[in-house]
Amino acid sequence: MLLVVAAGCSKPVEDNIYCDVTLRLSLPGGKEVASMTVNPALRGNMFKNINTGINYPYPEFVGDVCKMTVQKGVYMIAFDGDVVYSDGTSGLVRFTGYNSLSNVRNLLEDEETVELSVIVLR
C-alpha cells in the first residue's frame, strides 16, 4: 500500500526534452537567399545552450530556412554567414540578436520558429 501512495506523489517526467527549431532569415530590402553557411570555427558564431554549454553547429540554410533539433533551454544565438543570393551573387550577413547573457532566446516548446533579422556586411 505504501508503494502505491509513493508512486502517486512523484513528479511527472517530461516526455520531450528536445525542441525542433526552424530558423528563418530576414534580409533588409527583401533580397532572396539561395543558401547560407555558418563557419563553426569563428569565435562569435554560436547557437549555444547556456544551461548545458553545448554549442550546436548550424546546418546549411536552404533558401532562407534551416531546421535543427536541440535540447530545450536558454540560448545565445549569433553568427556571420556566407550567403549566396538567388541571383547568384554572394555576400556576408551578420546576426547578433541574442549574443549576450543579457539578451537570450528561450527555446522551451516542442517546436519553435526563430526569425533572424540579419544585417548585410557585403
Side-chain angles (χ1 to χ4, degrees):
M1 179 71 163
L2 184 57
L3 183 58
V4 172
V5 173
C9 295
S10 66
K11 249 172 72 173
V13 176
E14 185 174 337
D15 291 336
N16 186 9
I17 63 167
Y18 294 100
C19 175
D20 292 324
V21 182
T22 300
L23 301 176
R24 185 172 311 278
L25 297 175
S26 174
L27 275 77
K31 246 184 160 175
E32 292 185 25
V33 174
S35 66
M36 186 187 79
T37 56
V38 175
N39 181 348
L42 295 177
R43 185 174 164 204
N45 292 348
M46 65 184 134
F47 197 98
K48 185 175 184 177
N49 183 323
I50 63 172
N51 305 103
T52 64
I54 297 172
N55 192 20
Y56 292 88
Y58 288 89
E60 183 169 353
F61 282 72
V62 177
D64 62 352
V65 174
C66 82
K67 295 180 184 249
M68 55 197 303
T69 300
V70 298
Q71 192 172 4
K72 291 178 181 176
V74 180
Y75 282 82
M76 291 174 50
I77 303 170
F79 60 83
D80 283 355
D82 293 310
V83 67
V84 176
Y85 298 107
S86 57
D87 64 5
T89 61
S90 61
L92 182 65
V93 297
R94 176 173 288 164
F95 177 77
T96 58
Y98 306 111
N99 66 341
S100 69
L101 291 175
S102 62
N103 194 18
V104 294
R105 174 66 190 240
N106 293 325
L107 297 175
L108 303 174
E109 301 298 324
D110 289 346
E111 294 182 14
E112 300 252 4
T113 298
V114 180
E115 297 290 332
L116 306 171
S117 295
V118 299
I119 58 171
V120 176
L121 299 177
R122 64 172 163 85

